[in-house]
Amino acid sequence: MISFDIHMKRSEFLLDVAGEFGDGITAVFGSSGAGKSSLLDCLAGSIRPDSGHVQMGETIWYSSLNRVWVTPENRRVGTVYQDGALFPHLDVRSNIEFGWKLIPEHKRHIDPLELADFMGLSNLMSRKPSTLSGGERQRVAIARSIAIMPSLLLLDEPLASIDSPRRGSILNYLKRVHAEFEMPMIYVSHSISEVVSVASNAMMLEAGKVVGFDHPTALLPYVNNSEGIDKFENIFDGVIGPSTDYLTTVEVNGVEIWAGRQRKSMGERVLVSLGANQIILAAQRPANISARNIIEGKVVETWSNLGKVFVEVDAGPKFIVELTETALKDLGILMGCDVFLVFKSSSVGVFDT
Amino acid sequence: MMFDIPVIALSLQVAFVATGLTLPVGLIVAWLLVRKDFRGKFFLDIVVSLPLALPPVVVGYVLLWLVGTHGWLGQISQGLFGSTLAFTWFAAVLASSVVSFPLVVRSFTIALAGVDPKLEVAAKGLGAGSLRTFFTVTLPLAQRGVIAGVLLGFVRALSEFGATIIVAGNIPGRTQTVPTAIFTRISSGDTNSAWRLALVSLLLGVIALAVHNWLLNRPRSPNTTGLNRLNNPSS
């Protein structure tokens, strides 16, 4: 567990945040300039705050009161940067082993080769970073950080420089890394979809202050899309099913979803994305409708703020649906209600994992 | 011809030792200028560049005072060796070092500034201390600019005349370098042998500058060409 209370002033910008993050994946979310990266820098020790404290488990990393300061190289915090920050003069293997080699031999608990295999990098070991794709680079960056068995893994917008279709794949790697190595992770992002998909808790920052700390979906209605923040996308793992001439089905957790025709073979694993604002909720099963997908589910949760409502519907996979307060009232939708999710096959995105 | 060999040898010796001095000191100063914020940085920057702005004769004169019986360098060497450094080959090394220093630091500064500080932060985060980070990340990435700076400093040291003749003199067999020897030969009307040494200078200068320019202009590494990336479009 990491706890912090940080105050810092840099010219016009004021960072004033406190919190306690557990061993799961915690997201720090907000628009650019909200102070997300500054918070990470303070936790990693690359910036020294003006006052406050940072404590990892029993170890104090920073305390202005007791004049404690642990330097970044002594904190064992792994950081994955937006662009990977791989060492361009070293090949993939030397990058992964950079920090690992600095650990005394008897304390090395991770085999870099096994780790590379786990991250799907085995056949890239002798390549230079400049020859890798964005996704490959981030996987190397994650492996390089994991190899030092960090007490904390910080991810600073790790998907920002990756094409959106490939983002889900890195998110899956992150979830696997977390399950395998059980280290606390802090995931910084301005994309609420990533946050909901990967994190168990989320802290929302605005102008250097904490404005919310909750389950990620609970923050959905508070997200202001005008500030360069992506609209929410549901992201699911799926398997390609049978196709017709113009449509392809994807099976997601026992539910069949119709998407546009895919050039993929049956049984192939894919990622499915669907915008929360692309789904219509119906109280009864609609008849004679052009939309190809009509899926029955149960309302399990709703969150609302200033007329915006997000409803979570359990239909096997859990869908997040965005609607307005008035629509919710007119439909008479309550928790536990049976509802139908309606959306067009063209709204469904299908991507490689 | 026979008289040229010791002159060229001494010149090379002076230039090599001067380069050996300016390399580490230059790296430290350049690193301070690029990566650190401190009081007096503005002043340090000016002091480092000053020899560029001064007539070398003035640099030599200041050095002569420093290494003389009243200067602190002179007093140290008198305490250690019983004599001042003035009019020794090491005085020529000092002259060459000081005059080439601004060029060396300028090249190093540009080279170090080209290294993304984020990579250094990443190295520290992975457990590398400041020194290790410098030698395993910063220096390898700045390598070409640093080597280019060393070469530039070396040719400048080889061709140093004004400061050298003041502080080291022009003593044949002891402190006479290629430039000061050329001066003597021109003064005494010995044009043939003056031309011979001038050609040697020209040759050394052309070689060093050619290597310098080649280092700075060649593509970073064969791996960074777009072609390679096109051949590996997998994710």
Side-chain angles (χ1 to χ4, degrees):
Chain A
M1 181 163 74
I2 181 159
S3 62
F4 55 90
D5 184 1
I6 291 165
H7 311 277
M8 190 176 83
K9 194 173 187 296
R10 291 287 183 277
S11 58
E12 291 298 290
F13 179 73
L14 204 72
L15 185 68
D16 197 355
V17 290
E20 220 173 67
F21 293 166
D23 291 340
I25 303 181
T26 310
V28 174
F29 168 76
S31 53
S32 55
K36 309 184 298 282
S37 296
S38 304
L39 171 59
L40 283 203
D41 287 339
C42 289
L43 298 181
S46 46
I47 290 183
R48 188 177 183 148
D50 297 337
S51 65
H53 82 265
V54 177
Q55 184 171 352
M56 177 75 202
E58 298 294 303
T59 318
I60 296 174
W61 280 348
Y62 168 63
S63 164
S64 53
L65 204 67
N66 302 320
R67 297 180 181 276
V68 178
W69 173 253
V70 177
T71 55
E73 59 265 33
N74 291 317
R75 292 192 187 194
R76 275 209 308 134
V77 172
T79 307
V80 176
Y81 298 96
Q82 198 176 105
D83 55 358
L86 298 180
F87 303 123
H89 58 303
L90 303 176
D91 63 12
V92 169
R93 182 178 181 153
S94 305
N95 262 285
I96 295 176
E97 291 180 350
F98 185 92
W100 177 83
K101 278 187 178 157
L102 300 175
I103 304 172
E105 247 169 84
H106 64 280
K107 282 188 182 166
R108 296 174 183 167
H109 299 311
I110 285 180
D111 176 5
L113 296 181
E114 274 175 33
L115 177 64
D117 194 37
F118 183 79
M119 296 301 291
L121 297 167
S122 292
N123 47 10
L124 305 175
M125 293 302 259
S126 55
R127 297 258 295 267
K128 283 277 174 69
S130 54
T131 69
L132 302 177
S133 72
E136 288 166 341
R137 253 176 257 175
Q138 287 308 62
R139 267 146 59 199
V140 176
I142 293 167
R144 182 177 74 174
S145 296
I146 298 293
I148 64 166
M149 298 168 298
S151 50
L152 174 69
L153 184 63
L154 306 177
L155 301 125
D156 190 0
E157 302 262 7
L159 305 188
S161 55
I162 298 175
D163 313 338
S164 47
R166 306 223 181 271
R167 290 184 181 175
S169 155
I170 301 284
L171 288 177
N172 279 343
Y173 271 107
L174 276 179
K175 285 185 243 180
R176 285 178 55 200
V177 162
H178 183 257
E180 178 80 18
F181 299 100
E182 293 177 331
M183 62 189 66
M185 293 186 185
I186 301 179
Y187 186 97
V188 161
S189 177
H190 66 271
S191 158
I192 187 71
S193 315
E194 288 171 27
V195 169
V196 168
S197 155
V198 79
S200 49
N201 268 303
M203 173 176 272
M204 191 162 155
L205 296 184
E206 230 175 73
K209 293 210 162 34
V210 180
V211 291
F213 188 29
D214 210 328
H215 190 264
T217 39
L219 294 177
L220 276 169
Y222 296 90
V223 175
N224 186 349
N225 289 107
S226 63
E227 287 169 2
I229 291 173
D230 306 344
K231 289 202 175 297
F232 182 78
E233 297 264 341
N234 291 283
I235 300 170
F236 304 118
D237 290 312
V239 179
I240 296 283
S243 296
T244 66
D245 283 350
Y246 303 111
L247 297 172
T248 295
T249 58
V250 185
E251 201 221 287
V252 175
N253 203 4
V255 174
E256 200 171 60
I257 291 176
W258 289 91
R261 185 77 168 87
Q262 303 294 316
R263 290 185 183 187
K264 297 188 186 304
S265 42
M266 255 179 82
E268 208 175 311
R269 304 192 65 84
V270 288
L271 288 165
V272 178
S273 83
L274 174 62
N277 57 358
Q278 302 289 312
I279 306 172
I280 293 167
L281 271 194
Q284 282 96 39
R285 179 178 284 277
N288 307 321
I289 188 166
S290 68
R292 288 301 88 194
N293 292 290
I294 301 168
I295 296 166
E296 191 175 358
K298 207 182 265 302
V299 174
V300 287
E301 195 94 60
T302 66
W303 303 274
S304 66
N305 176 47
L306 299 173
K308 241 202 295 189
V309 182
F310 285 84
V311 178
E312 189 175 23
V313 177
D314 188 351
K318 285 183 175 165
F319 289 84
I320 304 279
V321 184
E322 180 180 354
L323 55 166
T324 57
E325 189 89 53
T326 25
L328 188 79
K329 279 199 187 120
D330 287 354
L331 280 169
I333 290 170
L334 295 168
M335 297 264 253
C337 265
D338 287 323
V339 289
F340 293 88
L341 300 159
V342 182
F343 52 92
K344 301 165 75 146
S345 57
S346 59
S347 300
V348 180
V350 178
F351 305 108
D352 295 337
T353 55
Chain B
M1 277 290 239
M2 284 297 285
F3 300 114
D4 293 351
I5 306 291
V7 173
I8 295 169
L10 184 70
S11 264
L12 287 173
Q13 179 186 341
V14 166
F16 271 117
V17 177
T19 308
L21 282 179
T22 48
L23 172 62
V25 182
L27 273 179
I28 293 168
V29 170
W31 183 79
L32 284 174
L33 289 177
V34 171
R35 288 285 190 261
K36 292 283 153 186
D37 270 315
F38 54 92
R39 231 184 273 177
K41 181 171 169 174
F42 178 77
F43 192 64
L44 176 67
D45 203 2
I46 288 180
V47 170
V48 164
S49 305
L50 207 52
L52 268 185
L54 290 176
V57 177
V58 174
V59 175
Y61 198 44
V62 172
L63 279 176
L64 184 62
W65 174 75
L66 272 177
V67 302
T69 33
H70 300 295
W72 59 269
L73 268 177
Q75 281 168 358
I76 291 173
S77 74
Q78 242 171 352
L80 288 174
F81 314 109
S83 68
T84 69
L85 293 171
F87 310 114
T88 63
W89 74 273
F90 196 75
V93 169
L94 281 181
S96 295
S97 302
V98 172
V99 172
S100 60
F101 196 64
L103 290 175
V104 173
V105 171
R106 262 158 205 259
S107 301
F108 288 0
T109 312
I110 293 166
L112 295 184
V115 178
D116 186 354
K118 195 153 219 172
L119 298 175
E120 293 169 1
V121 174
K124 286 186 184 168
L126 290 166
S130 297
L131 264 185
R132 185 183 295 273
T133 299
F134 183 78
F135 283 109
T136 58
V137 176
T138 316
L139 199 54
L141 288 172
Q143 194 184 40
R144 277 203 279 158
V146 169
I147 296 174
V150 166
L151 279 170
L152 207 57
F154 183 72
V155 277
R156 184 64 191 88
L158 264 184
S159 53
E160 168 44 34
F161 173 77
T164 309
I165 203 160
I166 299 287
V167 73
N170 187 6
I171 309 161
R174 281 179 55 202
T175 64
Q176 191 169 59
T177 60
V178 172
T180 52
I182 295 173
F183 174 72
T184 306
R185 293 174 190 189
I186 294 172
S187 310
S188 61
D190 189 0
T191 46
N192 272 347
S193 64
W195 272 116
R196 220 165 45 226
L197 279 184
L199 277 176
V200 172
S201 297
L202 188 77
L203 200 67
L204 286 172
V206 167
I207 291 170
L209 287 178
V211 176
H212 169 268
N213 290 354
W214 174 75
L215 274 172
L216 289 185
N217 293 333
R218 94 195 140 119
R220 228 172 208 299
S221 84
N223 288 336
T224 47
T225 55
L227 205 78
N228 231 313
R229 214 171 295 178
L230 284 178
N231 290 338
N232 300 297
S234 58
S235 75

